[in-house]
Amino acid sequence: MRITIIGYGMAGARLADNLRGSGASITVIGAEKHPAYNRILLSNVVAGSMTPDDVLLHSPDWPRDNGIDLRLGVAAAEILPAEHRVVLTDGSTVDYDALVLATGSTPWIPPTDGLIEDGVLAPGVVAFRDLDDCRQIVNQAKDFGPVAVLGGGLLGLEAARGLAGRGCAVTVVHPVGHLMERQLDPAGGHVLARVLGAKGIEFRLGQLATKYLPGKGLLLDDGSVVAAGLVVVSAGARPSTELAEAAGLAVDRGVIIDDLLATSAPDVYAIGDCATHPGTVSGLVQPAWEQAAVLARRLTGEDIRYTGTPVVTRLKTRDVDLAAMGEVHVEPHDRDAEVVRLEDPSRGRYTKLVLRDDRVTGAIVLGAPDVAAAVTQLHDRGTPAPADRMALLLGRAMPAGETTDPGTLPASALICRCNTVDKGRLVGAWHAGARSFDALVSTTLAGTGCGGCRDSVCALSRWLAEQDPVTEPEKLGCNAT
Amino acid sequence: MPVDARVEVDTHCPYCALQCGMVVRDERAEATVAPREFPTNRGGLCQKGWTSASLLNAPGRLTTPLLREHRGAPLRPVGWTEALDYVALRLHELRDRLGPDAVGVFGGGGLTNEKAYLLGKFARVALGTSKIDYNGRFCMSSAAAAGIKAFGIDRGLPFPVADLAAADAILLVGANVAETMPPFMRHVRPAADKGGLIVVDPRRTATAEAASLHLQPAPGTDLALALGMLHAVVADGHVDHQYIAERTTGFDEVWRIAAAWWPQRVERITGVPAADQRAAVALLARARNAYVLTARGTEQHASGVATVSAWINLCLSLGLCGRAGSGFGCLTGQGNGQGGREHGQKADQLPGYRKIDDPAARSHVAGVWGIDAAELPGPGPSAYELLDSLGTANGPKALLVFGSNIVVSAPRAGHIADRLDSLELLVTSDFVLSETAAVADVVFPVTQWAEESGTMTNLEGRILLRGKAITPPVGVRSDLDVLHGLAVRLGQPAERFPVDPETAFAELGRASAGGPADYAGVSYDRLRAGEALHWPVPTADHPGTPRLFLDRFAHPGGLARFQAVDHVGPAEPPDPEFPLHATTGRVLQHYQSGAQTRRVPALMNASPEAFVEVHPDTAQRFDVQDGQWALVESRRGTVRARVRCVTTIRPDTVFLPFHFPGAQRANLLTNPALEPTSRMPEFKVCAVRLGAA
């Protein structure tokens, strides 16, 4: 079986990995000159915590080690579905039994005057999309000049955080009134802006950039100017569908695929950002990888379907913990859903749960890492949420509610686990005459295992002594550590 | 013995691999024990240790061999000669009829080195069978295989346990030491006091309570967690590049895999917050001295070797292994779990931790045994595969069991009990009528711990002498006597199977000479003199090797090897029919199958029956009540256990201890999906449902 994959990005590389050892003859066509890299980690490169080499998905030996025909630096020019053939930009052709489109997406450049010059981005303007963009951003950020980021979505904010961490003065210009409006409600977006603001990022929300002023920055629609030597554009992406459209495949926003990941042409499939599957948000890696896994199994003969991926958005910056999933825009007083919210903007915390029939159907969790982990698993698995919603939202902030006062412990409270000695036995031993720490220890063996309860035995013996005026405290012998 | 005679013997506890130092006093015909200062326990003992003397007078102590002529007949007391003659005759007959592989042998990690050694020799030489394995396969095998892959040698702790006290940070993975080896907590408390104890466990155990950071992953997702933490090591700039360059190979390939496991992705699979993964890594990276220690929780999986490899990868990336004051180790479980895996009761091994398929190893050992190397059988099936094949067309028709209670401790225990039923002959050697002895055709009553001498190798690879402290009951003989008696009847020269432990040990030393676990320089005299001897000890004047790998790892070239491993997840994930994870483990009062501890009244009072830990939300969801009996059901069986509602467990998980017999056997549930390399069954996670009893 000859399988040809057009695109050597996150989706295409993953599919090729998943097909290793299947016996299929695999051809991968990658327009960029270097091995596939992990786009998710690009914000680490911008932040300076990883090098471009760190984010490569494959070593240069990968095609040889795995018997894969990898064509780098050449693109597909035309698909001939009837002939089961692909024509490449160098004029060569590849015949296939199955063709997979994994062409990804291309950055959308907003219609701000001057961003594009002679059909390409003007000097001082970089789209935050691929590894070369990252190299350019890192290079230009070296002089710590001010940077403007166009777009307050997930990637724009990750880039802004990375650049701020490098010491640049960063301003995010976002046309909507709050950040990450697809994943956050207004209240959540505002708390996020406050958290990021404390890290030195400035925001111009609800404002349009009308003109790029090279060397100066961006002119906004209120007439003000955001000073910037570098403009990073991160305003969204569009599925790359030109090849598919030219070949006559059905395309909506992306190439339309069904639960078999098949397009409208026979033996042509599509996965990742270039594809549109009903019920799946595109533009994220999780669906792309799950599609790759399912398609690999389908192409090797398994009858399996792809039914969508529940998407959880995580902001991948080290010091801001944000998770958003499902339906987040439900109003607190919605009649059909249960909405629970906890807002603590000055401490950078905002959590919102949307539940239906006891299941978490949407959530925003900002500034509460342990809560995010628990809520995400409830959302992914569809298991019923705990009855105490507030405890779920509080996570570790919940008071433990445990007492260590020996007087208030019940008699059954285990003091020494190693020797199964409870408070009752220690009290009994005391009244039977073991009226010192050492006597309590040698009578009950409490404290003779790991030694961890010796302080508790000590405290208990003090408490017993206080109630027992006959005892002389100095004879307790209780100076154990 | 005169009434006032008082004999006090330095020995070690009969239970776990910590082998706490204790003294046994044979006082007025009643033995007592007391702790003594020893590096592993530093004067401490847990309740099991304190009450261990009552094992010596355990109710139901066997003092005469038992035999039944046919299935269904009751076991009746017989003399030693009759029992030995009977077994030898049956073995002879089976071997003549079906060949040497018609007889299988099953050993245990609690046996002394001498017994483990002679059991392996007995199987290969007297029986000529390849079918020998032991319960250590259910215990240490994944860590052992991962250790060999990474370092070239497997020694549980390649450093003395006392070194841990100087650590700033310790990562304990799947280890509930506060219950399984309580005095061990003394070694980790200094790190805990400095805020550096990190515990990975699906339950907030007593150990996790003592930790400054508790990571609580879903069962079966530890490998993903280790990958996420390795990712954080790189992303947060903690990689020890110089160490990786000078002392390791294979990092790049490992990073390509870990690169795909950023902490937020790992959080979604494990439930461990990304921030906690990073915090744990930061604690390890910033510590001057740090250790990563694994135990059964992370090892007893169908991907156990890969999982341990992933923890080793983490440790290597931080530059911790092979340095004084830092390192990787695995906490051996059974009393002689370490020595038990070194001297030839394992299906693929010969004494000295040699491989049975290595021609040089075969000729060396055959030379010591006085046979032709060609007579030695090859590798046999692993423990579960051996048990699963019993009574089948190609499987053994007879099984000899030493030091193991497989009816309770094997995975998918109901099926294994059926396999034992299908045998023509089951022989056990035990000091009480364990659940396995109870279904045997012949039971040999043997000495235990304080009634015999023998060596044990503890969790740090230190060889210990457990001296005979009291006289065994009349009628009881040692396992070495049993092997000797059978071997002679099977036509072996008498001197080939010594009954004196010291003689056996000297021979073990010669057989191990030149192997990875080299005991050649160890003698009872050196041990009696109190020398601290960690193997290898190649010569009589060699001081032993407390710390391995300081100069080089044991691979050719001396480099440690990163292992490219990826997360796969549990073999049986929960589904709508069986929606919960079940995980199994131990409680403080019991040891392994409970064959010993369930006979100690104080321990039974404290922990009398099987329970199932359930989160209150889960109890409500499945309509079971705290304190009531419930049925826990998997695809393989149903267990009866009392519900214990606790908020310390994940709502998607239930926990059962595996010490109890009959309908309370947790192993009726467990999944025998096997690790590809170590052949370890997946004890630690299977899918179950819960309902009222």
Side-chain angles (χ1 to χ4, degrees):
Chain A
M1 169 123 166
R2 297 164 302 171
I3 300 172
T4 296
I5 303 168
I6 302 180
Y8 186 41
M10 297 281 284
R14 186 73 163 196
L15 177 62
D17 275 334
N18 289 342
L19 285 167
R20 280 181 304 182
S22 67
S25 135
I26 300 161
T27 304
V28 180
I29 296 157
E32 293 181 57
K33 284 208 169 62
H34 38 70
Y37 54 87
N38 189 334
R39 204 181 295 284
I40 292 293
L41 305 181
L42 291 184
S43 54
N44 295 66
V45 177
V46 170
S49 61
M50 285 187 194
T51 67
D53 274 354
D54 287 339
V55 306
L56 296 180
L57 283 170
H58 292 149
S59 76
D61 297 334
W62 174 81
R64 195 196 59 206
D65 292 349
N66 296 287
I68 286 166
D69 178 11
L70 175 64
R71 317 275 181 94
L72 282 185
V74 60
E78 190 182 9
I79 301 167
L80 306 170
E83 287 89 348
H84 279 56
R85 177 171 298 171
V86 179
V87 183
L88 305 188
T89 47
D90 62 3
S92 63
T93 60
V94 178
D95 291 346
Y96 63 81
D97 299 314
L99 177 69
V100 182
L101 301 178
T103 49
S105 56
T106 44
W108 179 72
I109 307 300
T112 302
D113 254 5
L115 286 181
I116 294 183
E117 212 173 77
D118 302 329
V120 295
L121 290 174
V125 180
V126 185
F128 178 43
R129 186 66 191 164
D130 63 25
L131 194 52
D132 290 334
D133 297 334
C134 277
R135 288 200 179 93
Q136 206 180 330
I137 293 170
V138 170
N139 219 20
Q140 299 208 18
K142 267 184 194 148
D143 59 4
F144 307 112
V147 181
V149 174
L150 256 183
L154 182 73
L155 285 180
L157 294 179
E158 287 183 4
R161 178 68 193 100
L163 288 164
R166 282 176 173 269
C168 301
V170 181
T171 307
V172 174
V173 180
H174 191 54
V176 185
H178 71 276
L179 296 174
M180 289 178 67
E181 71 279 359
R182 266 170 72 191
Q183 296 92 359
L184 299 182
D185 62 2
H190 289 310
V191 179
L192 178 61
R194 195 161 164 168
V195 170
L196 290 170
K199 312 216 174 284
I201 300 170
E202 294 201 27
F203 293 96
R204 300 296 189 88
L205 300 177
Q207 285 188 281
L208 286 171
T210 53
K211 192 173 172 58
Y212 170 55
L213 310 167
K216 288 186 184 153
L218 290 172
L219 176 65
L220 304 192
D221 56 358
D222 67 351
S224 64
V225 171
V226 171
L230 170 69
V231 174
V232 175
V233 182
S234 181
R238 296 284 176 270
S240 301
T241 57
E242 296 81 1
L243 269 177
E245 282 179 81
L249 272 59
V251 171
D252 178 10
R253 200 178 128 82
V255 182
I256 295 172
I257 53 170
D258 57 17
D259 286 1
L260 309 180
L261 301 162
T263 68
S264 60
D267 301 318
V268 181
Y269 304 85
I271 57 173
D273 283 3
C274 71
T276 296
H277 177 271
T280 302
V281 183
S282 62
L284 291 164
V285 67
Q286 193 75 15
W289 281 2
E290 287 186 17
Q291 289 165 1
V294 170
L295 184 56
R297 290 165 67 181
R298 279 206 68 79
L299 291 176
T300 50
E302 210 174 317
D303 184 21
I304 181 174
R305 280 160 187 269
Y306 173 77
T307 53
T309 302
V311 164
V312 175
T313 305
R314 295 292 316 248
L315 192 65
K316 281 167 292 300
T317 63
R318 206 181 307 175
D319 48 3
V320 183
D321 202 283
L322 169 67
M325 64 208 80
E327 42 172 3
V328 295
H329 295 291
V330 179
E331 293 298 323
H333 301 293
D334 189 293
R335 282 165 185 276
D336 302 321
E338 178 187 347
V339 178
V340 193
R341 290 201 315 160
L342 191 80
E343 207 167 344
D344 182 6
S346 18
R347 285 180 179 75
R349 215 173 147 172
Y350 178 79
T351 44
K352 175 179 185 178
L353 274 189
V354 181
L355 303 107
R356 293 182 197 269
D357 299 328
D358 250 11
R359 265 75 175 173
V360 175
T361 56
I364 298 168
V365 186
L366 173 58
D370 53 316
V371 177
V375 167
T376 304
Q377 292 218 320
L378 287 173
H379 170 259
D380 280 355
R381 298 174 180 191
T383 40
D388 189 347
R389 314 285 202 234
M390 206 45 90
L392 177 64
L393 288 194
L394 285 169
R396 278 199 297 250
M398 268 291 266
E402 284 173 23
T403 172
T404 48
D405 175 3
T408 58
L409 283 175
S412 64
L414 198 59
I415 306 291
C416 172
R417 179 180 298 276
C418 298
N419 281 288
T420 328
V421 184
D422 59 21
K423 176 185 161 186
R425 242 179 84 204
L426 285 161
V427 172
W430 176 275
H431 292 308
R435 301 204 171 190
S436 72
F437 173 80
D438 285 343
L440 279 177
V441 166
S442 60
T443 315
T444 65
L445 301 181
T448 63
C450 74
C453 66
R454 292 173 81 88
D455 286 349
S456 306
V457 176
C458 221
L460 193 75
S461 61
R462 277 201 207 98
W463 173 74
L464 285 163
E466 279 163 21
Q467 316 199 343
D468 191 352
V470 184
T471 319
E472 298 165 53
E474 62 274 16
K475 289 193 183 160
L476 267 180
C478 196
N479 46 12
T481 53
Chain B
M1 192 176 283
V3 175
D4 285 326
R6 185 191 170 107
V7 184
E8 184 172 296
V9 175
D10 280 1
T11 185
H12 297 271
C13 178
Y15 298 112
C16 79
L18 201 56
Q19 288 293 295
C20 296
M22 54 162 58
V23 294
V24 174
R25 294 188 192 114
D26 191 1
E27 231 170 340
R28 292 191 180 83
E30 194 189 348
T32 59
V33 303
R36 69 184 161 92
E37 194 59 33
F38 189 73
T40 61
N41 59 310
R42 296 173 56 195
L45 275 189
C46 74
Q47 194 177 13
K48 290 192 292 289
W50 275 110
T51 56
S52 57
S54 60
L55 282 177
L56 299 166
N57 298 305
R61 181 68 195 270
L62 301 177
T63 54
T64 171
L66 303 172
L67 188 152
R68 75 177 107 227
E69 269 87 20
H70 58 87
R71 288 293 156 95
L75 282 167
R76 64 175 174 89
V78 295
W80 273 92
T81 306
E82 183 183 347
L84 288 166
D85 285 350
Y86 177 83
V87 172
L89 188 73
R90 297 287 307 272
L91 295 177
H92 245 312
E93 187 275 322
L94 265 170
R95 208 167 49 164
D96 288 349
R97 177 157 50 98
L98 298 166
D101 275 351
V103 180
V105 177
F106 202 86
L111 300 175
T112 62
N113 289 319
E114 294 79 358
K115 294 178 183 184
Y117 167 74
L118 281 175
L119 189 62
K121 183 179 178 184
F122 175 80
R124 270 75 178 233
V125 177
L127 296 172
T129 182
S130 68
K131 306 218 170 177
I132 174 171
D133 212 50
Y134 80 126
N135 66 14
R137 188 71 73 172
F138 301 154
C139 186
M140 305 302 314
S141 57
S142 287
I148 291 170
K149 280 174 185 244
F151 308 125
I153 255 185
D154 153 48
R155 196 181 91 189
L157 300 182
F159 47 81
V161 69
D163 283 7
L164 294 170
D168 300 317
I170 298 175
L171 174 68
L172 278 177
V173 193
N176 182 14
V177 286
E179 295 209 62
T180 57
M181 43 176 66
F184 186 86
M185 287 300 282
R186 293 168 182 256
H187 301 290
V188 301
R189 191 160 293 115
D193 289 345
K194 292 180 222 167
L197 181 64
I198 310 151
V199 171
V200 177
D201 201 303
R203 300 190 297 144
R204 198 167 78 231
T205 59
T207 314
E209 286 285 356
S212 18
L213 185 56
H214 174 207
L215 311 182
Q216 199 167 4
T221 64
D222 291 18
L223 180 38
L225 179 61
L227 287 163
M229 289 173 67
L230 179 57
H231 188 104
V233 168
V234 174
D236 298 353
H238 299 305
V239 179
D240 190 336
H241 292 287
Q242 191 186 348
Y243 173 91
I244 286 176
E246 289 172 1
R247 299 208 56 188
T248 72
T249 61
F251 177 73
D252 287 350
E253 205 187 335
V254 163
W255 167 245
R256 300 267 171 258
I257 295 169
W261 291 101
W262 52 95
Q264 289 89 348
R265 182 177 176 222
V266 168
E267 169 184 308
R268 221 173 146 183
I269 289 177
T270 61
V272 176
D276 286 356
Q277 298 171 43
R278 297 200 132 109
V281 163
L283 280 172
L284 291 171
R286 289 182 190 140
R288 263 176 306 115
N289 294 311
Y291 292 90
V292 175
L293 304 177
T294 65
R296 302 309 80 71
T298 203
E299 298 163 10
Q300 288 178 324
H301 293 276
S303 56
V305 177
T307 304
V308 177
S309 293
W311 294 115
I312 296 176
N313 289 343
L314 175 71
C315 210
L316 288 170
S317 74
L318 293 165
L320 300 179
C321 305
R323 283 187 172 167
S326 291
F328 172 84
C330 134
L331 299 175
T332 300
Q334 295 192 79
N336 197 28
Q338 181 70 48
R341 65 183 187 264
E342 297 165 358
H343 298 298
Q345 59 173 334
K346 209 172 167 191
D348 51 357
Q349 280 184 5
L350 289 173
Y353 224 136
R354 292 182 156 95
K355 299 292 285 179
I356 202 168
D357 53 8
D358 169 9
R362 291 171 68 87
S363 80
H364 169 81
V365 173
V368 174
W369 289 352
I371 60 170
D372 184 348
E375 293 174 48
L376 281 174
S382 74
Y384 182 77
E385 291 160 301
L386 173 64
L387 298 176
D388 185 41
S389 73
L390 296 176
T392 63
N394 297 316
K397 306 296 185 290
L399 185 73
L400 312 181
V401 181
F402 290 79
S404 187
N405 186 14
I406 42 191
V407 167
V408 177
S409 62
R412 199 185 168 199
H415 170 70
I416 296 306
D418 290 345
R419 301 300 347 130
L420 293 176
D421 271 350
S422 74
L423 287 169
E424 292 184 29
L425 178 69
L426 176 63
V427 179
T428 71
S429 181
D430 216 325
F431 67 91
V432 289
L433 200 65
S434 72
E435 285 71 21
T436 308
V439 298
D441 301 290
V442 180
V443 182
F444 291 111
V446 289
T447 47
Q448 56 171 320
W449 151 71
E451 300 164 352
E452 59 184 18
S453 291
T455 62
M456 307 284 279
T457 305
N458 75 358
L459 77 171
E460 50 183 3
R462 177 173 171 179
I463 298 129
L464 309 171
L465 181 61
R466 280 206 314 214
K468 179 174 172 177
I470 63 165
T471 312
V474 174
V476 167
R477 298 184 188 174
S478 113
D479 287 307
L480 299 184
D481 281 293
V482 175
L483 294 175
H484 176 87
L486 291 175
V488 169
R489 283 166 175 79
L490 291 167
Q492 292 293 312
E495 67 280 6
R496 202 173 263 176
F497 290 88
V499 295
D500 169 45
E502 190 165 356
T503 311
F505 187 78
E507 184 187 313
L508 180 163
R510 291 194 297 281
S512 74
D518 191 334
Y519 285 36
V522 186
S523 66
Y524 272 37
D525 283 341
R526 291 185 77 180
L527 296 172
R528 284 192 198 103
E531 283 195 68
L533 297 174
H534 300 75
W535 66 254
V537 193
T539 57
D541 57 359
H542 189 282
T545 315
R547 292 174 193 84
L548 292 169
F549 315 136
L550 293 183
D551 302 321
R552 61 194 305 283
F553 294 96
H555 284 304
L559 301 181
R561 297 176 184 170
F562 279 96
Q563 299 294 316
V565 292
D566 205 347
H567 174 66
V568 287
E572 187 184 53
D575 56 26
E577 209 186 337
F578 295 96
L580 295 168
H581 298 286
T583 188
T584 63
R586 290 168 50 189
V587 299
L588 188 140
Q589 289 82 8
H590 291 294
Y591 179 66
Q592 308 300 75
S593 76
Q596 290 153 284
T597 48
R598 281 186 278 113
R599 288 174 167 81
V600 177
L603 300 177
M604 274 308 267
N605 286 340
S607 179
E609 62 195 10
F611 60 86
V612 55
E613 274 189 10
V614 183
H615 192 280
D617 289 339
T618 312
Q620 191 179 18
R621 188 175 151 207
F622 290 89
D623 203 21
V624 296
Q625 310 291 323
D626 187 35
Q628 302 295 309
W629 288 95
L631 297 178
V632 188
E633 192 180 349
S634 80
R635 287 185 175 81
R636 292 156 296 277
T638 304
V639 174
R640 207 175 133 80
R642 199 181 286 283
V643 174
R644 199 178 272 187
C645 279
V646 293
T647 54
T648 49
I649 194 163
R650 296 171 54 98
D652 59 7
T653 304
V654 299
F655 166 84
L656 300 99
F658 70 88
H659 312 290
F660 299 94
Q664 298 183 21
R665 269 177 295 173
N667 276 318
L668 292 170
L669 303 173
T670 47
N671 185 1
L674 296 185
E675 218 299 329
T677 306
S678 68
R679 316 309 282 166
M680 164 77 81
E682 185 141 281
F683 284 106
K684 281 294 188 269
V685 54
C686 66
V688 298
R689 60 184 171 220
L690 188 62

